[in-house]
């Protein structure tokens, strides 16, 4: 995995050992460059969990090999291009402190 790439994945099951999660794609996740995994369960009992490694995640949810990880993103896929966003002018649309236009104070978006 690239040092800067997050990879998406699915957990797929042929057999529902627990009787809770079902079969097919039962959870969706993302693996960070450091190996940390975030997992979102797609079931009646939605939950989100974080695991330090894929090995830890599978040790808990792999059910002895009946669950497989299917990566959506290739390991050698380039990260998406970054877009640039121009922040709003802190002086407001008229270039005046406080964002005043025609003597009226205008809302200024803050992030």
């Amino acid at each position: 995995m690239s040092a800067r790439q997050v990879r998406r994945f699915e957990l797929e099951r042929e057999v529902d050992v627990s009787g809770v999660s079902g079969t097919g794609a039962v959870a969706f996740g993302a693996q960070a460059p450091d190996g940390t995994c975030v997992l979102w369960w797609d079931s009646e009992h939605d939950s989100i969990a974080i695991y330090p490694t894929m090995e830890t995640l599978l040790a808990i949810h792999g059910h002895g090999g009946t669950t497989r990880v299917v990566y959506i993103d290739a390991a050698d896929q380039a990260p998406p291009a970054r877009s640039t966003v121009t922040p709003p002018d802190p002086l407001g649309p008229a270039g005046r402190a406080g964002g005043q236009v025609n003597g009226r104070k205008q809302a200024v978006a803050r992030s």
Side-chain angles (χ1 to χ4, degrees):
M1 176 168 19
S2 165
R4 302 178 67 193
Q5 183 179 2
V6 173
R7 290 180 71 192
R8 298 171 297 158
F9 64 87
E10 297 176 346
L11 288 189
E12 291 188 358
R13 290 192 173 147
E14 298 286 327
V15 177
D16 182 6
V17 176
S18 66
V20 175
S21 57
T23 59
V26 296
F28 304 90
Q31 186 175 26
D34 70 354
T36 302
C37 295
V38 179
L39 190 66
W40 293 267
W41 287 96
D42 186 26
S43 70
E44 180 182 341
H45 309 286
D46 293 339
S47 67
I48 300 170
I50 300 172
Y51 302 91
T53 64
M54 182 62 73
E55 290 77 18
T56 302
L57 185 153
L58 289 173
I60 296 167
H61 299 294
H63 294 293
T66 62
T67 302
R68 70 177 175 267
V69 176
V70 177
Y71 282 97
I72 298 166
D73 303 307
D76 57 356
Q77 183 176 342
R82 295 177 189 237
S83 63
T84 58
V85 177
T86 304
D89 185 344
L91 297 178
R96 295 184 191 97
Q100 292 188 3
V101 176
N102 296 332
R104 293 187 170 159
K105 190 156 181 102
Q106 302 292 312
V108 177
R110 305 260 187 236
S111 41

